[in-house]
Amino acid sequence: MLTESSRARQVDPRGHWFLLAVGVLLAAAALLLDGFATNVVGETRAAPPVADRPSPQLEKVREGGPVLNLTGGEPSSARLPVRTIALTFDDGPDPAWTPQVLDVLRKHGATATFFTVGSKVAQYPDLARRIVAEGHELGNHTYTHADLATVPGWRLRLELSLTQQALAGATGLHTTLARPPYSSTPAAITGPQWEGMRSLAREGYLVTLTDLDTKDWGRPGTEKIVASSLPSGGRGAVVMMHDSGGDRRQTVEALDRVLTELSGDGYRAVTVTRALGMPSAHRQAGGADRFAGAALNAAQRASGLFTGALSWVLFVAGALTLARLGFFAVLAWVHARRNRGGKRRKGRAPAWPAPPPVTVIVPAYNEAAGIQATIRSLVDTAYAGELEVLVVDDGSTDATAELAAELGFGNVRVIRRHNGGKPAALNTGIAQSRHELLIMVDGDTVFEPATIGHLVRQLADPTVGAVSGNTKVGNRRGMIGRWQHMEYVIGFNLDRRAFELLDCMATVPGAIGAFRRSALLALGGVSDDTLAEDTDLTMALCRAGWRVVYEEKALAWTEAPATLGQLWRQRYRWCYGTLQAMWKHRRAVLERGPFGRRCLGYLALFQVALPLLAPVVDLMAIYRTILSDPLPVVAVWAGFVVAQAATGWYALRLDGERVSALWVLPLQQFVYRQLMYLVVIQSVATAVLGVRLRWHTIRREGTFDGPGRPHANPAISP
């Protein structure tokens, strides 16, 4: 993951943001193309009838034949010769019904004209090639089955051009025939349809309507389709059927009967141009058009696969997220029952015969804003045992060491050292500590009086190597603070209850954690291999066979980042360090015991994979909201918010917090969530590119500096 040479590199990557933007744009393009091809983007439907303006030309066309030549000054039309029928099929090709139609035509030695939808040609090019190979004719039925009477001129030209490109890519051919969607017989032409047909003529198309409209799209029954397909008195006719758009079983059955009856009456079934004695409608496409058409067809199929795969991914991701919320809530309930007494006291640690001595290590670098509040909270403890506090100043450039020393507490010792990073400061404290039980606390954190006692109580169990406390956000008045408060309660503390029961605790937070000194020394102390030394240390303890538990009553109030920039730097370091720790301990998945597979599997899925998919999820949501029916998107979003709110309500109740804080959850989806998944993307890019991330410090505001500090809620206090 990270080589020795790459560790020296200190420049954060930037190019991946360009790649992310390109990826999002490509995903957006795929969604738009698939939406356009499936008639979602710019969706059109047949326009309601409108009053026609009197037009001599239109009246002439209404009285004429079904094949219209509108390219000259005066419109002309043609009818088919006697005992000649031109079977036409609209809306295909379709993988289910077009092959059956072709089989029936081949059985009777008949040929037909297929007015194809360009997007379906792009999706099923092999069917378009089969139509041509078996002697049938292709016509243009627009790319998305758009009503040409309602679309603007640029859209009409685009619909026709894209269909020609799709045909060129699939068959190497263009066509001169076109049929407007939602058209029927000449007598049924409306004024707006007439204008659309004139536009078709300006593009060089021969417009083909019908004599006999079977209306098989309504599935009226085989008998009615047969009856409406048979011309009377030996007259010739253009017959309109459909080989796509729904269940066409009746059409296939009727086609077989129609061809049988017409053959007995001496009819010939041929293409439109052959029926009129005209040259074929097919024209060879140029090389550039074939290449562009092939690219278009490939892009559409790829976009369809992408959209389909994305839909499944989103379904699975949503199901996993909901399942995780429910499962972890149940485990949290079990954990609370076990640790709050009553009849189910399984898992409770035994009592110490006497309060054991404890050393508290406070690594500090430029913590002048809050170091005195931290020390006072440690000294002002209700713990009855001997307490040693070691403040390890890691080469601070401010007055951290002086402020710690001037308090003058007898059991507080300030150790100064050259700057070497937090792991080195912790190792210094471990080496100089006098007691077996160690508590580590950050220099921006304050303890409740009962916190140390609750932490130490869990270590009475000889199988427990570390205890995670309950971290609370102290500066939660602003929106950013409130979001972090909810994250700590739901995403951190609720999860740690479940992690304990699953034996897959990933992190004992640096803000509050208790350890056995002997266990740490056996591991060689705190490693500096990663920027998430707390996660690295926790994983190492679990792999060494120690249990790591969570103590809900051990409260610690920490100062969370107050700005988005500070929050980004903190979470970037956390996420990148977690990735480093996962890579370092990757062999745990092969070891005996559940830790490696559960912990690393959970982190890989919920902390890495799903956040990486989040931008596409948001893109899909925006796409559906703007370009489709927004109600399903709103319903899904509301469902997730409700599920989160229910879990959050329970987590807040467990922690004794006010449930009124839940009002920030909906807003959290629009800023905070995006920031968090962008952090994951940045961290993954940093790790993959082998860049060594710098340590990012957070500017402290001194939240706990002063006479007052937050106090525990009585719901979870002793």
Side-chain angles (χ1 to χ4, degrees), residues 226-263:
V226 171
S228 60
S229 301
L230 297 174
S232 61
R235 289 194 296 267
V238 176
V239 180
M240 179 188 292
M241 295 182 174
H242 295 79
D243 63 330
S244 185
D247 187 343
R248 294 290 172 255
R249 185 177 293 105
Q250 294 177 5
T251 300
V252 174
E253 294 172 353
L255 176 63
D256 189 31
R257 290 177 52 183
V258 166
L259 286 172
T260 300
E261 292 193 29
L262 290 175
S263 176

Side-chain angles (χ1 to χ4, degrees), residues 422-596:
K422 187 176 180 180
L426 289 171
N427 286 329
T428 298
I430 294 171
Q432 298 201 28
S433 63
R434 294 182 302 167
H435 306 306
E436 166 67 5
L437 302 187
L438 306 178
I439 294 176
M440 298 179 186
V441 54
D442 286 342
D444 62 345
T445 303
V446 298
F447 276 15
E448 290 291 330
T451 295
I452 293 176
H454 288 306
L455 288 172
V456 171
R457 179 180 65 84
Q458 291 285 3
L459 289 170
D461 185 341
T463 67
V464 174
V467 183
S468 169
N470 187 340
T471 312
K472 297 285 189 179
V473 175
N475 52 332
R476 62 177 73 167
R477 293 183 179 179
M479 184 60 69
I480 297 176
R482 288 187 174 96
W483 283 336
Q484 292 178 85
H485 165 51
M486 292 303 301
E487 183 184 29
Y488 272 62
V489 173
I490 302 175
F492 296 161
N493 294 332
L494 184 72
D495 287 359
R496 287 192 177 102
R497 301 172 191 269
F499 290 152
E500 177 186 331
L501 297 182
L502 295 173
D503 291 327
C504 63
M505 189 78 71
T507 305
V508 173
I512 175 172
F515 303 86
R516 294 185 187 275
R517 184 173 186 270
S518 57
L520 300 185
L521 292 177
L523 295 174
V526 181
S527 172
D528 63 354
D529 291 339
T530 75
L531 290 183
E533 79 291 328
D534 47 5
T535 299
D536 184 8
L537 180 61
T538 306
M539 290 183 177
L541 286 168
C542 290
R543 293 182 69 186
W546 292 100
R547 287 184 60 221
V548 179
V549 300
Y550 172 71
E551 175 50 66
E552 63 176 344
K553 294 182 179 180
L555 300 180
W557 298 85
T558 189
E559 180 179 330
T563 67
L564 289 177
Q566 293 176 3
L567 180 63
W568 174 276
R569 288 191 293 273
Q570 182 196 67
R571 298 310 171 87
Y572 184 19
R573 175 174 61 83
W574 284 6
C575 184
Y576 180 80
T578 299
L579 291 174
Q580 289 178 307
M582 291 171 62
W583 183 255
K584 177 180 177 180
H585 296 281
R586 62 191 182 277
R587 296 188 183 279
V589 298
L590 303 176
E591 297 171 353
R592 296 182 61 183
F595 168 76

Side-chain angles (χ1 to χ4, degrees), residues 78-304:
R79 297 183 185 276
L80 268 61
V82 296
R83 300 201 182 278
T84 301
I85 190 168
L87 295 170
T88 62
F89 298 90
D90 290 3
D91 299 352
D94 181 275
W97 304 109
T98 301
Q100 296 186 44
V101 168
L102 291 171
D103 290 342
V104 174
L105 292 172
R106 181 170 54 186
K107 170 185 173 183
H108 292 273
T111 56
T113 302
F114 289 79
F115 288 96
T116 55
V117 174
S119 61
K120 294 186 178 180
V121 172
Q123 190 69 28
Y124 309 110
D126 54 328
L127 291 178
R129 287 190 288 269
R130 179 181 170 184
I131 290 171
V132 174
E134 297 186 4
H136 306 290
E137 196 166 47
L138 296 171
N140 192 328
H141 201 48
T142 75
Y143 197 77
T144 65
H145 203 265
D147 185 0
L148 300 185
T150 64
V151 299
W154 68 266
R155 173 72 183 272
L156 181 147
R157 292 187 293 273
L158 178 65
E159 292 278 344
L160 300 174
S161 175
L162 288 178
T163 302
Q164 293 283 28
Q165 294 291 346
L167 289 173
T171 67
L173 300 172
H174 288 319
T175 181
T176 59
L177 292 181
R179 172 177 282 166
Y182 309 107
S183 62
S184 182
T185 63
I189 299 174
T190 65
Q193 286 178 333
W194 168 243
E195 294 302 323
M197 292 176 189
R198 293 177 64 185
S199 297
L200 284 176
R202 285 192 291 269
E203 297 298 319
Y205 288 96
L206 191 66
V207 180
T208 306
L209 301 180
T210 187
D211 291 301
L212 301 175
D213 185 355
T214 64
K215 297 184 180 180
D216 60 335
W217 49 267
R219 294 194 289 276
T222 302
E223 294 295 335
K224 288 188 177 181
I225 296 175
V226 171
S228 60
S229 301
L230 297 174
S232 61
R235 289 194 296 267
V238 176
V239 180
M240 179 188 292
M241 295 182 174
H242 295 79
D243 63 330
S244 185
D247 187 343
R248 294 290 172 255
R249 185 177 293 105
Q250 294 177 5
T251 300
V252 174
E253 294 172 353
L255 176 63
D256 189 31
R257 290 177 52 183
V258 166
L259 286 172
T260 300
E261 292 193 29
L262 290 175
S263 176
D265 291 340
Y267 273 83
R268 62 189 184 113
V270 294
T271 63
V272 170
T273 56
R274 185 174 300 175
L276 295 174
M278 298 173 56
S280 171
H282 294 160
R283 301 289 184 269
Q284 289 295 323
D289 286 338
R290 293 187 183 193
F291 178 81
L296 171 65
N297 296 349
Q300 184 188 307
R301 291 194 298 273
S303 68

